[in-house]
Amino acid sequence: MFSLATLLVATALSLAAQVMGETHTIVFDNRCGRGTPTLRAQNGAVLSTGGAVTINGPLIGAIAYVQVSNCGNNGEGCTLIETTLRNPPSPGAGSSTDISLIPPHAFSVTSGFGYFNGCDGAGADCTNANCPTAFHNPDDTFVQVACQSNDVNLAITFCD
């Protein structure tokens, strides 16, 4: 007969295995002919400078931009892609990605993203400084593109 302690340990191990099994891959397609795509973690650490990167576990609050002009370390002065990739812990709480032109960010190059391996076809493109698919102020939450699939991946394209 199982004790409560055994049940709790088994549940904890099962949840840990599910979390450890979570993976997300981010790939870049830089069609600009110049510049370096950059992916930064929420803590500022550089996760990629253009190569595909796989994250084991959730990726919370990452940013991506292509360094073609004088982008700051947080993408200031450039078109910014913001993303959180995670398996939904509850309905509606999964991945979310958007394009930001909220100052100090500004349109620098055509930029876009799309999910794959789940929510295929969901994404956004921004082709000019007035694009309706980007944040221009913090209240533009309707531009966020959500995905509720486990282990979803993200393709980011510059100059498409």
Side-chain angles (χ1 to χ4, degrees), residues 38-42 61-65 73-75 80-83 105:
T38 303
L39 177 67
R40 289 186 178 269
Q42 192 172 36
I63 60 171
Y65 54 91
N73 284 339
N74 290 313
L80 189 73
I81 308 287
E82 303 172 301
T83 191
H105 302 101

Side-chain angles (χ1 to χ4, degrees), residues 39-105:
L39 177 67
R40 289 186 178 269
Q42 192 172 36
N43 67 4
V46 175
L47 302 174
S48 174
T49 54
V53 62
T54 298
I55 305 298
N56 294 313
L59 176 64
I60 307 297
I63 60 171
Y65 54 91
V66 64
Q67 183 66 266
V68 293
S69 53
N70 292 317
C71 304
N73 284 339
N74 290 313
E76 300 93 340
C78 292
T79 307
L80 189 73
I81 308 287
E82 303 172 301
T83 191
T84 289
L85 299 175
R86 69 179 183 175
N87 292 351
S90 61
S95 300
S96 179
T97 305
D98 62 75
I99 301 167
S100 180
L101 298 177
I102 299 172
H105 302 101

Side-chain angles (χ1 to χ4, degrees), residues 7-22:
L7 180 61
L8 290 174
V9 168
T11 301
L13 289 173
S14 173
L15 290 172
Q18 289 174 2
V19 169
M20 292 180 69
E22 179 176 354

